[in-house]
């Protein structure tokens, strides 16, 4: 059980600021991801084009992850988190104002850059702030903030879209992301990273990580689970729900419930994420995702979804 001193140490000013930035960013991303296929359909994109455009989000994350990590080790995390939040600003504006589907390609690239810059760097900053014995709990706090933001985003966006229209709701998200960028720039503090300092051979560190069996297995599991979330849940559940006649607010409610259910598990998962239990939790999660996809494919009513 975490001690009172552990909680007090983790919830100091810089950690609280980081959690707030991540929460706001996930409110925005929580809405941008599921609204993308609906907005793309609205301006004439086919299902094939929607899937192809969405692939650029993942491809950008793959291509950018290592360079962004190396940049952060040299220049700090704060600048990259602010930069990623600005990427969300431009992506939201593009989604709101795009005259044709191919304009959404740039929006997806910016979303990919923003996701790596904000959330990967946020996780790295947790490692900077928390002692090794506190990192499981700290990651639980971080992922809880992410989950709560991801729950509020589609619900808030869905309500705004219902009342004011999709384009206006996206512009509100752009303003929120601009707030996150300003908050990151002025409140976050880089710890343990000095500007201008770099490893003699950073790619040697990558080779060391690649030989670590546990890190490699975690990376493979993440690679395998990503198509389930990014391919099925984010891109085609909104289209399926829209085809069944559900409003933007109801579709937002679906994603809010999904994120809320996820959030309720994150802090307990962080607490039990010891070396002995982590892989068991991961195996259970992968199996549960498979069951969920089968159920989605065979469901045609709102309660089932």
């Amino acid at each position: 059980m975490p001690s009172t001193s552990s909680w007090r140490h983790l919830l100091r000013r810089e950690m609280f600021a980081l959690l707030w930035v991540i929460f706001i960013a996930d409110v925005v991303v929580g809405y941008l991801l599921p609204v993308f296929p609906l907005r793309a359909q609205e301006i004439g994109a086919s299902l094939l084009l929607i899937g192809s455009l969405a692939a650029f989000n993942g491809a950008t994350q793959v291509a950018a992850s290592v360079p962004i990590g190396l940049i952060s080790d040299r220049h700090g995390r704060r600048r990259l988190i602010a930069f990623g939040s600005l990427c969300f600003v431009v992506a939201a504006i593009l989604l709101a104002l795009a005259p044709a589907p191919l304009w959404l390609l740039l929006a997806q690239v910016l979303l990919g850059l923003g996701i790596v810059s904000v959330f990967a760097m946020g996780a790295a900053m947790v490692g900077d702030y928390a002692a090794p014995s506190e990192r499981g709990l700290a990651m639980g706090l971080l992922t809880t903030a992410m989950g709560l933001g991801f729950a509020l985003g589609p619900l808030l966006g869905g309500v705004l879209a219902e009342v004011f229209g999709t384009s206006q709701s996206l512009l509100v998200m752009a303003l929120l992301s601009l707030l996150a960028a300003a908050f990151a720039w002025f409140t976050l503090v880089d710890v343990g990273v000095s500007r201008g300092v770099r490893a003699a051979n950073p790619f040697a560190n990558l080779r060391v990580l690649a030989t670590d069996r546990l890190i490699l297995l975690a990376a493979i599991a993440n690679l395998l689970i990503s198509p389930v979330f990014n391919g099925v849940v984010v891109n085609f559940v909104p289209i399926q729900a829209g085809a069944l006649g559900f409003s933007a607010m109801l579709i937002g409610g679906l994603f809010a419930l999904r994120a809320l259910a996820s959030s309720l598990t994150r802090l307990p998962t962080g607490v039990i994420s010891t070396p002995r239990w982590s892989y068991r939790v991961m195996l259970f999660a992968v199996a549960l995702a498979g069951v969920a996809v089968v159920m989605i494919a065979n469901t045609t009513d709102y309660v089932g979804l």
Side-chain angles (χ1 to χ4, degrees):
M1 179 69 70
S3 66
T4 304
S5 61
S6 293
W7 283 103
R8 191 160 48 242
H9 181 253
L10 284 177
L11 291 177
R12 62 195 187 279
R13 188 189 71 85
E14 57 264 36
M15 178 65 89
F16 186 77
L18 175 62
L19 295 176
W20 184 240
V21 169
I22 295 298
F23 171 77
I24 298 174
D26 240 317
V27 168
V28 175
V29 174
Y31 182 58
L32 294 188
L33 289 179
V35 84
F36 162 75
L38 296 173
R39 178 68 181 135
Q41 263 196 332
E42 194 176 281
I43 58 177
S46 65
L47 290 179
L48 177 60
L49 183 57
I50 290 171
S52 300
L53 290 172
F56 280 90
N57 184 324
T60 301
Q61 292 184 51
V62 171
S65 291
V66 172
I68 284 177
L70 295 176
I71 291 169
S72 77
D73 288 339
R74 185 174 184 182
H75 296 287
R77 330 284 190 205
R78 177 178 65 94
R79 293 174 178 83
L80 283 167
I81 292 175
F83 164 75
S85 297
L86 290 176
C87 287
F88 296 149
V89 173
V90 181
I93 292 172
L94 282 171
L95 279 172
L97 304 179
L102 286 179
W103 282 72
L104 301 181
L105 172 60
L106 180 56
Q108 287 289 15
V109 170
L110 288 168
L111 272 173
L113 275 176
I115 287 169
V116 173
S117 298
V118 173
F119 300 119
M121 292 305 99
M125 196 168 261
V126 164
D128 295 337
Y129 288 165
S133 61
E134 299 169 342
R135 281 177 190 159
L137 177 58
M139 285 303 297
L141 288 170
L142 179 76
T143 54
T144 298
M146 291 173 65
L148 292 174
F150 215 87
L152 179 61
L155 188 59
L156 174 63
V159 171
L160 290 172
E162 198 74 17
V163 176
F164 301 108
T166 303
S167 294
Q168 286 74 18
S169 68
L170 285 164
L171 294 177
V172 171
M173 293 299 161
L175 287 174
L176 278 178
S177 200
L178 188 61
L179 174 65
F183 206 77
W185 185 262
F186 290 110
T187 66
L188 296 184
V189 178
D190 282 316
V191 176
V193 179
S194 299
R195 188 174 182 180
V197 175
R198 61 179 174 180
N201 182 5
F203 293 98
N205 295 332
L206 293 177
R207 286 195 296 271
V208 171
L209 290 176
T211 60
D212 187 309
R213 184 176 64 90
L214 293 179
I215 291 177
L216 193 60
L217 286 174
I220 291 171
N222 192 56
L223 178 68
L224 293 175
I225 202 72
S226 290
V228 174
F229 182 68
N230 295 320
V232 177
V233 177
V234 170
N235 286 306
F236 292 107
V237 167
I239 293 173
Q240 181 185 9
L244 293 171
F246 304 138
S247 67
M249 187 165 62
L250 287 176
I251 294 171
L254 283 176
F255 281 85
L257 285 171
R258 186 215 64 80
L260 184 60
S262 175
S263 300
L264 292 174
T265 70
R266 293 185 182 206
L267 192 56
T269 299
V271 172
I272 66 171
S273 287
T274 62
R276 180 180 177 185
W277 281 96
S278 292
Y279 77 94
R280 291 183 174 92
V281 172
M282 289 172 65
L283 284 173
F284 174 74
V286 172
L288 197 61
V291 172
V293 170
V294 171
M295 292 177 67
I296 288 169
N298 291 281
T299 297
T300 57
D301 64 278
Y302 190 78
V303 174
L305 284 177

